[in-house]
DNA sequence: CCGCACATGTAAGATGTTACATGATTGA
DNA sequence: TCAATCATGTAACATCTTACATGTGCGG
């Protein structure tokens, strides 16, 4: 049900269309909880049926066209609070890259190396992306975030921003750990290629 | 298709029953790629149909009962090699705990703290479990691993063991990053409780 | 008037979770 | 003989992925 919570957290900043929300899943929240467009629209309908949000048509363009905007309800806000009180469910590990690394004896030398080089590149990109997100928060250049802060007294702004940065810092730490791991692995492969009979550690 | 690969890596150590394999998903490989029993048996059937493995009955107990043992085929071994050559698909982030942390403003003080304390405990347990796994490999106390090594010349043993330890070290680094993050978070919450108007960082 | 952003989905299939179900064997 | 382990699943559901599908509005 995290998709639901993610949508509600976005809507707690103010009313938005499904499209607005979907866009955010390509950046901001998307770095914490990803969801494709195809999941978002149906979920919004379900949430509306359960009165966590309400949808209403707003004019779009010059002709009589409309789009649907959704706003969080009181029930929705309560949902968020309840959600925060429930224990997190830790899903068991499922790491393709780790599984591969454990069985590199089935990989050609180049494949193993490419795997780790790619891993490195991937997480270097993550680091960049997350730094970008953190900068956006610090510089208040995110419309969503500005909108959110506007709903709270000034005294709370630092705290609310801090939470988001804290979450991103978690991803950052993860990514940095992955980068270190990949580098260690590349060193290990290099050592093995020298034919050295290396110790376990 | 990682479930498939995980099963094949296990069977590459020698023939086993579905039960043997399922047990291993509760420990060893289970720390890299988890799968519940209910996924394993059907997948084995599919893999047999595709001739990646072969199943044959072996006697079980004193009466005429039998169990099915599966052995990896040449096709299965090729599959593992091909798998290692393919690019890893990086699934987009989906972290419930991170999503929560980002929106701690909806949590009661205690709920936020409990969330992070629980996070800390969870990953401390992971660290213990993984150390246990690494010790098992170092001390050669894992039957599966002994069986695996027996299929390779002595000269390769260190390397094969090294890969597995390397994979576990990755999980270890992740877990340690999570522990740091949770500790930072608890400190942050403590600071906020003091009512200090803290800086972003 | 053309292309990109805006807007809203459906549908099929793969994968994963949870709960249930059943019987044989072995060791205490 | 009783409980734990061995052995093998099914069924229902939730979730996620991938691909497809369609039309409007707006700026250059």
């Amino acid at each position: 049900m995290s998709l639901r919570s993610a949508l509600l957290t976005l809507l707690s900043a103010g009313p938005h269309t499904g499209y607005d929300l979907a866009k955010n899943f390509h950046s901001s929240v998307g770095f914490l909880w990803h969801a494709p467009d195809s999941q978002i629209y149906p979920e919004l309908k379900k949430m509306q049926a359960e009165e966590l949000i309400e949808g209403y048509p707003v004019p779009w363009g010059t002709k009589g066209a409309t789009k649907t905007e959704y706003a969080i309800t009181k029930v929705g806000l309560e949902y968020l609070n309840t959600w925060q009180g429930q224990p997190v469910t830790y899903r068991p590990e499922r790491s393709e890259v780790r599984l591969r690394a454990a069985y590199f004896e089935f990989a050609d030398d180049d494949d193993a190396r490419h795997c780790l080089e790619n891993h490195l590149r991937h997480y270097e990109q993550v680091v960049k992306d997350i730094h970008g997100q953190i900068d956006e928060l610090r510089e208040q250049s995110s419309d969503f975030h500005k909108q959110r802060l506007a709903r709270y007294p000034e005294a709370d702004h630092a705290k609310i921003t801090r939470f988001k940065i804290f979450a991103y810092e978690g991803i950052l730490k993860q990514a940095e750990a992955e980068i270190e791991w990949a580098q260690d692995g590349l060193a290990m492969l290099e050592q093995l290629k020298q034919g050295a009979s290396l110790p376990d550690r």
Side-chain angles (χ1 to χ4, degrees), chain A residues 144-183:
Chain A
F144 241 90
H145 192 60
K146 267 189 286 188
Q147 201 181 71
R148 179 182 304 285
L149 291 181
R151 308 191 134 208
Y152 291 87
E154 189 97 24
D156 292 344
H157 289 194
K159 183 180 82 172
I160 290 166
T161 303
R162 189 71 193 82
F163 289 150
K164 278 134 210 76
I165 293 178
F166 169 62
Y168 285 138
E169 282 170 348
I171 311 249
L172 222 45
K173 274 184 198 285
Q174 285 290 337
E176 282 158 3
E178 292 298 344
I179 288 169
E180 262 187 52
W181 181 70
Q183 283 167 341

Side-chain angles (χ1 to χ4, degrees), chain A residues 184-185 187-201:
Chain A
D184 288 357
M188 172 189 73
L189 292 178
E190 201 50 47
Q191 235 186 314
L192 286 170
K193 216 160 62 178
Q194 313 298 318
S197 81
L198 78 175
D200 275 5
R201 187 64 227 233

